[in-house]
Amino acid sequence: MPRAIRPKASEGRMGVGPLIPPLAESQRPLRQQVFELVRAAGLIPRVQVAKDLGVSPASVTTITSELIETGLIEEVAAPREGDAGRGRPAVALGVRADAHRVAGMKLSDREHTAVIVDFAGNLIADDVIPRRPGPMSVTEILDAIEDLLNRVCTKAGMARADLSAVGIGVPGFVDSAEGMVLWSSVLADRAVPLAARAGARLGLPVTIDNDANLVALAELWFGAGRSLSDFAVVTIEHGVGMGFVMNHRIYRGAQRVGMELGHTKVQLDGALCRCGQRGCLEAYIADYALAREATTALNWGHKEGQSIAVLLESLYDHAKAGNATAKSIFRRAGRYLAVGLSNVINLFDPALIILSGERMRYDYLYAAETLAEMESLVIATGRPRPPIEIHAWGDLLWAHGAAALALSAVSEAILSGQVLGVAAE
C-alpha cells in the first residue's frame, strides 16, 4: 500500500484539518444573535439576553440600543412577577411588529394560498385562490402571483408597496439561493428564474424555496420544531417532499436541491413518477399514485375525467366502508411510506418526524401496521425510535413558512447592512 505523500520541509508546510471560513453559520455576529433571541422569546429582559448568550450586560446594552435605534426592536413595559402592579414596571425587549410586513405564498397543483404577517410573525390577512390542476406557463403563474398578492393586500388594507418582501414556495426542485425553479409540477418550463421574474412583476424583493422546506420552516418558526435542533418534515400531497432541519437551520445540500425523499427509488423499473423516472417513492404514495391505483384496481374507467380529489375521497369512503381492494391500496401505500420513513431514521436520526399535508387525513397511510413495519425496518440500536407526529394542516401553514422565509431574508439583510432589493432577471 503506497504511503501518503508529505511535502518536504523545504517545500513549505501544509495545513491539516477542516478549513472553516470566518463567521461560519454557527458563529453568527453577536448583533444577529441578540436580535434572533429577542424574536424567539417574544419578550425578554436585557439581563436575560446577556445570561442566555453568555456575554456582558454592557455589550447587550450597546447592541440593543442600536437595534432600537434602527427600529427593529422596542422596549415594552412588563409587570414584575409577584409585585401585584406595585412599583415601576420591568422593561423587556420585543420585536417591533410594525417595523416590516411580508407576504408568504404557496403555489400548488390545487390552489394558491397567501398570508401577510408583521415583523413579529403575527397574521394580518390570508387568502386562497383555487385553480385547475396542471402546469402553467411562466406568464400564467406570474399573473396568479400578482392577483393573489393584490387580493391579500386588499384584505389587509395595505398597498403592495407597504410590504418589505415576498416569500414563495413551489413543489419541485428549487435552488433558493439563485431563485431558480429547476423543475416544478406547477410550471410548464424548466430552469425558470422565478424569484427575479416575480420580483420584477411585483416590484418587491422575492425569495423562493421548495414547498416542503417551507413546511419545515413553518414548524421551526411557529410549531413543534422551535425547540429542536434536528427534525424532519415529510409532506404527502400531490407529491412527496421532505424538509430537514439540522442545527436549527434548513439543510439544502451542496447544490441546494437535496432532501428529495419522494424521488428516492423504492422499486427498480417500477411505477412511473411525474418527474419522468420510475420507481420513485412518490409514485406509490402521492395522491396521483393512489388515484391511478384505484382507477385500475376498482375498474373506475367510467370515472375518468373526475378530479383526483374526488377520486381519493371516493377511495377513502370505500376503504372506511370495508372494501377490501380500497383498503389494500392504502395498505400498500402505507408499506412504501414505512420504507421511506425508516430510511429517514437510518440516515439522519432526527429527534422528531412530522408527517404533514392534505393526505394525512387518510389515516390508513399511517395506521398501526405502517408504523410497526417502519419499526421493523429501522436499525436495531436498542434505543427508542424518534417520535412521529401527524400535522394535517392546510396550505396556509405552507404559506406561513414562505412568510418566515421572507422575514428571515429581511432581517438578515438589515442586520448585515445589505440593501434588500429586487433581483435582476
Side-chain angles (χ1 to χ4, degrees):
M1 181 176 178
R3 294 185 303 166
I5 299 175
R6 299 288 297 176
K8 297 178 181 178
S10 59
E11 294 175 351
R13 183 174 297 178
M14 292 180 64
V16 296
L19 295 169
I20 303 174
L23 294 179
E25 184 67 21
S26 60
Q27 300 171 307
R28 304 180 320 285
L30 183 57
R31 189 164 179 256
Q32 184 175 346
Q33 292 183 53
V34 169
F35 174 77
E36 290 177 348
L37 179 57
V38 171
R39 181 176 62 194
L43 286 176
I44 186 170
R46 284 182 176 85
V47 64
Q48 191 63 46
V49 173
K51 183 179 179 180
D52 289 353
L53 295 180
V55 297
S56 71
S59 296
V60 170
T61 298
T62 300
I63 291 173
T64 54
S65 296
E66 293 174 359
L67 293 173
I68 290 171
E69 188 175 341
T70 55
L72 298 182
I73 66 174
E74 61 185 356
E75 292 182 324
V76 180
R80 299 180 186 275
E81 292 184 12
D83 282 358
R86 296 193 304 269
R88 295 178 59 187
V91 174
L93 300 170
V95 169
R96 211 187 89 195
D98 62 356
H100 295 276
R101 297 177 180 86
V102 302
M105 296 184 184
K106 184 205 176 183
L107 310 178
S108 75
D109 300 271
R110 185 181 64 257
E111 62 187 14
H112 302 319
T113 55
V115 298
I116 290 179
V117 303
D118 63 25
F119 202 44
N122 301 308
L123 178 66
I124 298 174
D126 59 67
D127 205 354
V128 180
I129 295 180
R131 59 160 297 219
R132 291 183 178 179
M136 307 170 74
S137 70
V138 176
T139 299
E140 287 173 333
I141 209 160
L142 291 176
D143 289 343
I145 290 170
E146 186 172 25
D147 182 34
L148 180 55
L149 187 62
N150 288 340
R151 285 175 46 140
V152 75
C153 281
T154 299
K155 277 192 171 183
M158 65 177 63
R160 279 188 351 210
D162 295 329
L163 298 173
S164 297
V166 177
I168 297 176
V170 297
F173 311 140
V174 181
D175 185 332
S176 182
E178 293 189 1
M180 181 75 68
V181 179
L182 304 173
W183 171 83
S184 174
S185 60
V186 301
L187 273 169
D189 299 321
R190 289 177 176 259
V192 176
L194 188 60
R197 296 290 299 273
R201 173 71 75 92
L202 302 175
L204 292 166
V206 172
T207 53
I208 64 169
D209 207 343
N210 168 271
D211 57 1
N213 281 344
L214 297 187
V215 180
L217 202 56
E219 295 286 1
L220 179 64
W221 276 60
F222 308 110
R226 292 194 65 209
S227 61
L228 300 176
S229 63
D230 303 85
F231 67 92
V233 174
V234 175
T235 61
I236 305 175
E237 292 204 312
H238 192 59
V240 175
M242 176 171 150
F244 192 81
V245 171
M246 183 181 295
N247 193 25
H248 305 284
R249 293 288 187 270
I250 296 291
Y251 179 77
R252 293 184 172 88
Q255 298 188 55
R256 302 179 293 276
V257 290
M259 300 295 105
E260 285 294 341
L261 177 67
H263 300 286
T264 56
K265 304 301 179 281
V266 295
Q267 182 70 55
L268 291 176
D269 302 319
L272 181 65
C273 178
R274 62 178 177 163
C275 75
Q277 296 188 352
R278 289 187 175 275
C280 297
L281 176 63
E282 179 178 296
Y284 293 92
I285 64 177
D287 58 6
Y288 69 88
L290 293 175
R292 179 172 60 192
E293 183 78 7
T295 301
T296 302
L298 295 170
N299 296 315
W300 281 358
H302 63 285
K303 295 190 177 185
E304 187 175 350
Q306 289 187 352
S307 70
I308 287 178
V310 171
L311 287 174
L312 287 181
E313 288 301 324
S314 182
L315 177 64
Y316 190 56
D317 289 343
H318 277 68
K320 282 293 188 184
N323 184 291
T325 301
K327 291 173 69 173
S328 71
I329 291 172
F330 280 112
R331 172 70 180 129
R332 180 171 180 256
R335 295 193 69 190
Y336 277 108
L337 177 59
V339 171
L341 295 180
S342 65
N343 287 338
V344 171
I345 295 171
N346 290 338
L347 284 170
F348 300 107
D349 186 27
L352 171 69
I353 294 179
I354 298 171
L355 299 182
S356 186
E358 186 72 14
R359 296 294 79 79
M360 288 301 97
R361 294 188 298 112
Y362 302 139
D363 51 9
Y364 282 105
L365 282 177
Y366 52 92
E369 296 90 343
T370 295
L371 298 182
E373 183 143 15
M374 181 202 70
E375 191 89 53
S376 71
L377 297 173
V378 172
I379 297 171
T381 62
R383 295 180 176 178
R385 64 162 174 80
I388 294 177
E389 295 185 5
I390 313 300
H391 293 182
W393 308 116
D395 276 4
L396 285 178
L397 175 78
W398 309 59
H400 268 90
L405 183 70
L407 284 175
S408 180
V410 170
S411 58
E412 288 186 15
I414 294 171
L415 291 168
S416 63
Q418 300 173 7
V419 177
L420 192 66
V422 179
E425 288 189 72

